[in-house]
Amino acid sequence: MSFLWGVMGGPSAGPQPSGAETIQKLCDRVASSTLLDDRRDAVRALKSLSKKYRLEVGTQAMEHLIHVLQTDRSDSEIIGYALDTLYNVISNDLEEEEQDDSEEENLTKVDDLGSQFTEIFIKQHENVTLLLTLVEEFDFHVRWPGVKLLTSLLKQQGPQVQQIILVSPMGVSRLMDLLADSREVIRNDGVLLLQQLTKSNAAIQKIVAFENAFERLLDIVTEEGNSDGGIVVEDCLLLLQNLLKNNNSNQNFFKEGSYIQRMKPWFEVGDDNCGWSAQKVTNLHLMLQLVRVLVSPTNPPGATSSCQKAVFHCGLLQQLCTILMATGVPADILTETINTVSEVIRGCQMNQDYFASVNAPSNPPRPAIVVLLMSMVNERQPFVLRCAVLYCFQCFLYKNQKGQGEIVSTLLPSTIDATGNSVSAGQLLCGGLFSTDSLSNWCAAVALAHALQENATLKEQLLRVQLATSIGNPPVSLLQQCTNILSQGSKVQTRVGLLMLLCTWLSNCSIAVTHFLHNPANIPFLTGQIAENLGEEEQLVQGLCALLLGISIYYNDNSLENYRKEKLKQLIEKRIGRENFIEKLGFISKHELYSRAAQKPQPGFSSPEHMMFDHEFTKLVKELEGVISKAIYKSSEEDKKEEEVKKTLEQHDNIVTQYKKVIREQDQELEELKQRITTLMSQNEQLQATVTQQVSQIQQHKDQYNLLKVQLGKDTQHHNSHGDMFQMNGIQTEEVSKLKEELEEWKNKHELLQGQIREKDFLIEKLKSSQLEIGTTELSSQSSRSGGLDHSNELQKELEMLRSQLQLQSAEISQLLIENQKLQVMNTTADPVLGDSGAIVAKSSELEGQLEQQIKELKSEVKALSEEKESLKQHLDSSSSTVAILQDEKIKLQQEVAESKKEQDDLLVLLADQDQKLSALKIKLKDLGVPVEDEDDIESGDQGDEDEDVEEEEQD
């Protein structure tokens, strides 16, 4: 045991063994000892030597340590020592005191050593699987070293270990349980482990996300205090970035799970933002980067758009704009916030409109865009901040024609504020375009180019902008001022920015090309720049000049005679040469800064000198470079053919637009028809519902009717007991009495109706005896109908009124007849020449017409009365039929009652016979000497036995 005393620091005598020898002896001890305590002490000694003698312990003891992990699972202490020893061997974390001057060399050696030992360990996949099972143990001394060791393995050989864990059953799920551990040390190291596990592995990222990682990580961030939390929050945010970056599935899952809404409290800042800790700045920086991961332009457009809308609807964009306009925010956080807002609003009209409405808390309030542009053209602001503001302005104008129009309108003469109290965005851009700072010139030119991007209308409107250069001189157009600055030979950065603005302005706008060619100094300047042989710095300017000249040829409408396409091509052929022109044009796409700018929309420049190209401009160059090269080599005939093709295409476009208009109208009609169909379908469903309700009600009534029928016509049960029979007879007698009462009521109603009919008949007979002969025949033929019970009183009143009217009419008729006779006598006696006879005849004919009309009215009234009488008769017939049915059913019930009474009598007779037989048999038994007890004796005996039992119980 002397070597153990040496290792543990005890006294020793004689020569000390070397480190390699001691490790060899310890390894032999681990391999050969049968006692667990001896093996534990040996592993503890190896752990203490593993940092100093890392190579020796790794080469000699690794196999024995793995064997300990496999065989001594029951002892947590020795497992913990073994895991710690393996961690010390594999990990590359150097102690501070072990570092010396040759730190870089040591680090490279250590990295190689760690990766070699890791490779040896994971060569057997069972070792990693064993480690996963140990991590599942709850014991702190086993779980924590296991987590650290697995993290170190992932750092050294990430892809290989990831693949082993991925194919291991429930491998990732086991590691996810670390986030739920109540011990913060294990939970925090579990976050670090998952960071290494999810690096660049989409499959593991998806598994971790669907194991509820987002929920757990956001809970940890909230528990730790959001942005005010410690390094644990930073680790969680890095893990979230690993899970979401370039992983569309996880991004969609994050959005659908409403986790974006939980990010809003992260960005709540107060009024006093001074004195932020370095950790808070780091946390907030990572939180902003996490938002950018969700809305990055490199994501699929659909996913980016949905995340942008979610950010707006949950109020996160409003929170970011609050940070943007807050005071005291650190510069790097402000820069990252501007970049985040930029990507949140990029290409999303709703977010862009909201950003345009944001005002800075100043007096008077200014739009946030104006405040940001003031920072962009201010050369005292940090370069990174100015780049971020430019990116924000570009994102605000991206696919935003409304925003482009608002920016350009601030430059037009009709909308400029004459008082000069407020500074507009257009004035700031013009000020930056013509300032002495080359970076401001470039930024303003690029910003103005984005205001014209893919908008031919605004390109034409910008031609109206006039600038006052100096007092006393006439105003100059913006286009002319840009070409003037170009010709003055300013800095390369300024000229590149202005040339990019002019190329964007003139592309796809023939009117702007005409205005540019109208200045006779522009074409000679461009040809002179292209033809010269200048240095490398000027090659970029030459390429852009060639592009601008090519745009002037390609989009030329030949409206200026001296600058027609053919003449410009001849000019290039004479002064530059076609091949030389194409070579100079190719300088743009071959430039290193061009390829950098083409990679992503955000300006990523290390220094102001590298700020040369814009991302959107690189797209324009790709689009026009080949087209201009072809246009230079085309002849005049080919140009004419091309123009004809363009005209035909325009005609086709017009036809297509007309068809589109017709299709839109048809679509509107279809939509209206669809809406009508939906309304009709809803009405149909409602009607069907009512029909089903009515059908169900009818079915219920039918069922009730059938039940009543069954109750009335049900057979009496012959085999029931006597008590049941008597009860049934009682029920039947009650039903018969009810039926009798109903019959009496119907009889009374019938008698009343008959009496009313007799009264009506009597009145009709009276009407028959009146003087109207025609009416009597109609009354006698149709007097068989009568009204219902409810209308009898009204009919009586109407008949009385008719009787009085008939009496009056009969009196009038008699008077008229008398007068008619008098007139006829006077007519026969008088002279036929007299003129009064004609009037008398006319009067008599008029009276006869009145009589006929009154007679017709009486006929119609009598007809109505007869119809009512007929309906009453039908009602009586139906009631009499129901009465007959009830009488039949009553007779049936009576028969059934009689039959049941008969059966009861028969049963009583049978019972009497049986009693007689029993008494006769008892008498015979008594005669034969058999003791037979009577029923009375049996009952009395039973009573006596019961009394004796009661007495015995009382005695007890």
Side-chain angles (χ1 to χ4, degrees):
M1 296 294 291
S2 61
F3 63 92
L4 283 176
W5 284 107
V7 171
M8 301 305 293
S12 60
Q16 295 291 328
S18 64
E21 292 174 354
T22 305
I23 291 165
Q24 181 62 45
K25 289 178 181 178
L26 290 171
C27 290
D28 294 339
R29 188 76 172 173
V30 171
S32 60
S33 294
T34 56
L35 293 175
L36 181 61
D37 293 338
D38 291 345
R39 291 200 302 274
R40 187 189 305 119
D41 292 338
V43 174
R44 186 190 299 118
L46 285 172
K47 175 191 169 185
S48 63
L49 294 170
S50 59
K51 288 185 180 179
K52 187 174 182 180
Y53 299 100
R54 181 181 175 191
L55 178 61
E56 291 81 359
V57 172
T59 53
Q60 297 181 35
M62 182 175 288
E63 186 178 350
H64 302 294
L65 293 171
I66 292 169
H67 183 69
V68 167
L69 295 177
Q70 292 170 346
T71 56
D72 293 330
R73 291 278 301 277
S74 59
D75 187 62
S76 60
E77 194 173 355
I78 192 171
I79 296 292
Y81 292 148
L83 290 171
D84 284 333
T85 307
L86 288 171
Y87 173 72
N88 292 337
V89 168
I90 291 171
S91 176
N92 288 330
D93 298 333
L94 287 175
E95 297 293 336
E96 290 182 2
E97 61 269 13
E98 293 179 3
Q99 295 180 7
D100 52 313
D101 297 334
S102 59
E103 186 176 348
E104 291 183 1
E105 294 180 3
N106 285 339
L107 282 173
T108 55
K109 290 178 182 178
V110 163
D111 287 343
D112 293 339
L113 196 60
S115 61
Q116 288 173 7
F117 283 138
T118 303
E119 193 172 348
I120 293 169
F121 184 85
I122 66 173
K123 195 171 184 180
Q124 298 294 328
H125 292 182
E126 293 82 7
N127 295 340
V128 179
T129 308
L130 174 64
L131 192 55
L132 289 173
T133 57
L134 291 172
V135 168
E136 278 188 297
E137 296 288 337
F138 186 74
D139 195 321
F140 181 81
H141 297 290
V142 176
R143 197 171 206 181
W144 188 39
V147 170
K148 292 195 295 180
L149 176 58
L150 192 56
T151 307
S152 183
L153 292 173
L154 285 164
K155 284 181 181 177
Q156 300 295 335
Q157 298 286 339
Q160 291 88 338
V161 180
Q162 284 174 343
Q163 195 60 34
I164 297 169
I165 294 173
L166 192 60
V167 298
S168 176
M170 299 292 289
V172 179
S173 301
R174 294 176 189 175
L175 299 178
M176 284 300 299
D177 293 337
L178 297 172
L179 295 181
D181 201 305
S182 57
R183 296 159 293 191
E184 290 189 4
V185 177
I186 295 177
R187 184 199 67 186
N188 299 343
D189 282 349
V191 173
L192 295 174
L193 169 61
L194 291 171
Q195 275 185 30
Q196 299 297 327
L197 182 65
T198 54
K199 275 185 179 178
S200 306
N201 194 310
I204 293 178
Q205 289 168 3
K206 289 178 184 178
I207 296 170
V208 171
F210 283 98
E211 287 284 345
N212 208 19
F214 293 139
E215 184 78 28
R216 295 182 186 181
L217 291 171
L218 292 174
D219 287 341
I220 294 170
V221 171
T222 306
E223 289 169 10
E224 295 292 327
N226 295 329
S227 60
D228 294 322
I231 196 169
V232 181
V233 174
E234 179 183 347
D235 294 335
C236 290
L237 293 170
L238 288 170
L239 177 54
L240 285 169
Q241 281 191 22
N242 283 354
L243 295 174
L244 292 172
K245 198 168 187 178
N246 301 322
N247 194 317
N248 302 327
S249 174
N250 284 1
Q251 288 173 7
N252 188 46
F253 182 67
F254 191 84
K255 178 183 71 68
E256 295 295 334
S258 301
Y259 296 118
I260 293 176
Q261 288 84 331
R262 295 187 59 179
M263 297 168 71
K264 184 184 174 184
W266 296 354
F267 304 102
E268 292 176 356
V269 294
D271 297 330
D272 186 14
N273 296 310
C274 299
W276 283 14
S277 65
Q279 188 61 56
K280 181 172 182 177
V281 172
T282 304
N283 291 344
L284 205 53
H285 198 273
L286 289 170
M287 289 170 177
L288 291 167
Q289 285 183 349
L290 191 62
V291 178
R292 292 185 65 185
V293 166
L294 295 170
V295 296
S296 174
T298 58
N299 294 339
T304 302
S305 176
S306 59
C307 288
Q308 286 173 334
K309 290 175 183 175
V311 168
F312 175 78
H313 288 304
C314 74
L316 184 54
L317 176 59
Q318 293 87 323
Q319 205 75 36
L320 293 172
C321 290
T322 304
I323 297 175
L324 201 65
M325 295 292 111
T327 55
V329 178
D332 52 349
I333 294 297
L334 183 62
T335 304
E336 191 63 26
T337 305
I338 294 171
N339 288 327
T340 307
V341 171
S342 305
E343 293 184 352
V344 169
I345 67 173
R346 188 177 188 271
C348 182
Q349 188 66 51
M350 177 174 61
N351 294 0
Q352 289 167 341
D353 292 342
Y354 172 77
F355 185 69
S357 66
V358 175
N359 287 324
S362 59
N363 193 14
R366 289 177 177 171
I369 297 170
V370 172
V371 176
L372 291 173
L373 287 177
M374 290 170 72
S375 301
M376 186 184 75
V377 297
N378 187 354
E379 56 185 307
R380 287 176 294 183
Q381 292 292 339
F383 170 68
V384 181
L385 180 64
R386 296 174 75 179
C387 290
V389 173
L390 175 62
Y391 183 47
C392 184
F393 192 73
Q394 291 173 352
C395 292
F396 171 68
L397 297 177
Y398 182 71
K399 293 183 180 179
N400 184 11
Q401 292 190 353
K402 180 183 174 183
Q404 288 175 327
E406 290 173 355
I407 297 297
V408 172
S409 66
T410 58
L411 288 165
L412 300 177
S414 58
T415 57
I416 292 175
D417 188 7
T419 59
N421 293 329
S422 61
V423 180
S424 66
Q427 291 172 342
L428 287 170
L429 290 176
C430 282
L433 195 63
F434 307 121
S435 71
T436 55
D437 179 28
S438 61
L439 185 60
S440 297
N441 300 152
W442 190 91
C443 291
V446 170
L448 200 55
H450 275 265
L452 304 175
Q453 199 81 33
E454 297 179 359
N455 200 325
T457 306
L458 295 180
K459 290 176 183 178
E460 294 176 9
Q461 289 185 4
L462 201 64
L463 296 170
R464 296 163 44 202
V465 176
Q466 300 289 321
L467 302 174
T469 53
S470 59
I471 300 171
N473 293 329
V476 181
S477 69
L478 178 61
L479 185 66
Q480 182 64 43
Q481 184 65 15
C482 290
T483 54
N484 290 342
I485 294 172
L486 271 177
S487 60
Q488 289 171 6
S490 52
K491 291 182 180 179
V492 174
Q493 193 174 37
T494 302
R495 284 182 288 163
V496 167
L498 290 171
L499 285 167
M500 286 195 297
L501 172 61
L502 290 172
C503 289
T504 307
W505 194 348
L506 268 60
S507 64
N508 205 16
C509 184
S510 301
I511 298 172
V513 171
T514 305
H515 277 73
F516 179 76
L517 295 175
H518 200 269
N519 185 353
N522 289 338
I523 296 299
F525 168 74
L526 292 177
T527 53
Q529 287 286 320
I530 298 166
E532 287 183 8
N533 291 319
L534 303 172
E536 291 184 1
E537 292 183 357
E538 295 293 329
Q539 283 184 354
L540 193 55
V541 177
Q542 286 183 324
L544 290 170
C545 288
L547 180 65
L548 184 58
L549 184 56
I551 289 171
S552 302
I553 294 170
Y554 184 72
Y555 292 106
N556 192 347
D557 59 357
N558 295 326
S559 58
L560 295 175
E561 185 62 31
N562 294 331
Y563 296 103
R564 295 174 65 87
K565 285 184 179 181
E566 195 59 35
K567 290 187 177 180
L568 290 174
K569 289 178 187 178
Q570 292 173 1
L571 185 66
I572 290 172
E573 182 67 29
K574 289 178 182 178
R575 294 197 179 178
I576 304 169
R578 290 180 182 176
E579 289 78 9
N580 192 20
F581 178 84
I582 300 300
E583 183 185 355
K584 296 292 176 69
L585 184 63
F587 284 165
I588 303 172
S589 57
K590 291 176 183 177
H591 204 279
E592 181 185 357
L593 298 176
Y594 173 88
S595 58
R596 282 188 196 174
Q599 290 174 0
K600 57 180 182 178
Q602 183 184 1
F605 306 108
S606 56
S607 63
E609 293 77 20
H610 294 156
M611 212 167 184
M612 289 293 176
F613 284 109
D614 173 55
H615 178 75
E616 292 297 324
F617 181 73
T618 59
K619 294 181 181 178
L620 183 68
V621 172
K622 285 179 185 177
E623 181 185 344
L624 294 178
E625 189 175 7
V627 173
I628 291 171
S629 300
K630 289 179 183 177
I632 295 297
Y633 286 101
K634 278 181 184 176
S635 61
S636 58
E637 294 178 357
E638 289 177 348
D639 287 336
K640 287 179 182 178
K641 288 180 181 178
E642 203 171 283
E643 288 176 1
E644 290 176 359
V645 170
K646 283 183 180 179
K647 287 179 181 178
T648 53
L649 286 172
E650 287 176 359
Q651 291 176 357
H652 285 303
D653 289 340
N654 293 330
I655 294 167
V656 168
T657 51
Q658 289 177 0
Y659 278 121
K660 282 182 179 178
K661 189 177 179 182
V662 172
I663 289 166
R664 284 194 200 97
E665 292 174 355
Q666 290 177 350
D667 285 338
Q668 289 177 357
E669 291 176 0
L670 280 172
E671 287 296 327
E672 291 174 358
L673 289 170
K674 282 179 182 177
Q675 289 176 359
R676 286 180 62 188
I677 286 166
T678 51
T679 53
L680 289 170
M681 285 176 71
S682 62
Q683 290 176 2
N684 186 21
E685 288 175 357
Q686 291 175 359
L687 290 171
Q688 283 181 355
T690 53
V691 166
T692 51
Q693 287 178 0
Q694 289 176 357
V695 167
S696 63
Q697 289 176 359
I698 289 165
Q699 188 63 37
Q700 287 176 2
H701 290 311
K702 280 184 179 179
D703 295 339
Q704 290 174 2
Y705 175 70
N706 290 327
L707 281 170
L708 290 170
K709 247 174 129 184
V710 168
Q711 287 176 0
L712 290 170
K714 192 160 93 174
D715 245 344
T716 55
Q717 298 177 356
H718 299 292
H719 304 288
N720 289 343
S721 64
H722 299 296
D724 292 335
M725 289 297 294
F726 283 117
Q727 191 176 359
M728 183 61 72
N729 291 331
I731 293 167
Q732 288 175 354
T733 52
E734 287 176 1
E735 289 177 354
V736 169
S737 63
K738 285 181 182 178
L739 291 170
K740 282 180 180 179
E741 288 173 1
E742 288 177 0
L743 281 172
E744 290 296 329
E745 288 177 2
W746 283 111
K747 282 180 182 179
N748 292 331
K749 289 179 181 178
H750 184 62
E751 288 173 359
L752 284 170
L753 288 170
Q754 283 182 349
Q756 290 173 1
I757 289 166
R758 287 193 203 98
E759 288 176 1
K760 297 291 183 283
D761 290 334
F762 181 73
L763 291 171
I764 290 163
E765 289 296 330
K766 281 186 178 180
L767 287 170
K768 280 183 186 179
S769 62
S770 63
Q771 295 178 3
L772 298 173
E773 295 178 357
I774 301 167
T776 54
T777 57
E778 293 290 333
L779 285 168
S780 61
S781 63
Q782 297 183 1
S783 62
S784 60
R785 299 180 184 177
S786 61
L789 288 171
D790 297 331
H791 302 289
S792 61
N793 294 326
E794 293 177 1
L795 289 171
Q796 285 178 3
K797 290 177 183 178
E798 288 175 1
L799 287 170
E800 287 173 359
M801 289 170 64
L802 287 170
R803 193 184 301 155
S804 60
Q805 287 177 5
L806 284 171
Q807 289 174 0
L808 291 170
Q809 287 171 359
S810 60
E812 287 176 0
I813 287 164
S814 59
Q815 288 177 4
L816 289 169
L817 287 169
I818 293 165
E819 288 177 0
N820 191 11
Q821 288 174 1
K822 287 179 182 180
L823 288 169
Q824 284 178 0
V825 171
M826 289 171 68
N827 190 16
T828 52
T829 55
D831 194 355
V833 185
L834 294 172
D836 294 332
S837 62
I840 290 164
V841 171
K843 189 175 182 181
S844 64
S845 64
E846 185 179 355
L847 289 169
E848 286 175 0
Q850 288 178 359
L851 283 170
E852 287 176 359
Q853 189 175 359
Q854 289 176 356
I855 288 163
K856 286 179 181 176
E857 290 175 356
L858 285 169
K859 280 181 182 180
S860 63
E861 288 174 355
V862 169
K863 191 176 180 180
L865 287 168
S866 62
E867 287 176 357
E868 288 181 356
K869 184 178 178 184
E870 186 66 23
S871 65
L872 277 172
K873 265 193 171 184
Q874 290 176 358
H875 190 65
L876 280 172
D877 292 338
S878 64
S879 62
S880 61
S881 64
T882 54
V883 167
I885 291 165
L886 289 169
Q887 283 178 352
D888 293 337
E889 290 179 351
K890 179 185 174 185
I891 291 164
K892 287 180 182 178
L893 288 170
Q894 286 175 351
Q895 289 175 358
E896 290 173 356
V897 169
E899 288 175 359
S900 63
K901 282 182 179 179
K902 227 183 211 184
E903 289 175 357
Q904 289 174 8
D905 293 337
D906 293 339
L907 286 169
L908 288 170
V909 170
L910 286 170
L911 285 169
D913 291 340
Q914 286 178 356
D915 288 336
Q916 287 178 1
K917 287 179 182 178
L918 283 170
S919 59
L921 289 169
K922 283 179 183 178
I923 292 165
K924 284 182 181 180
L925 289 169
K926 284 180 180 179
D927 293 339
L928 292 169
V930 177
V932 176
E933 293 181 355
D934 293 334
E935 290 180 359
D936 297 334
D937 297 337
I938 292 166
E939 289 175 358
S940 62
D942 293 338
Q943 185 67 36
D945 294 337
E946 289 176 1
D947 294 338
E948 289 176 0
D949 294 335
V950 171
E951 287 175 1
E952 287 176 0
E953 288 176 0
E954 287 176 354
Q955 287 175 3
D956 294 335

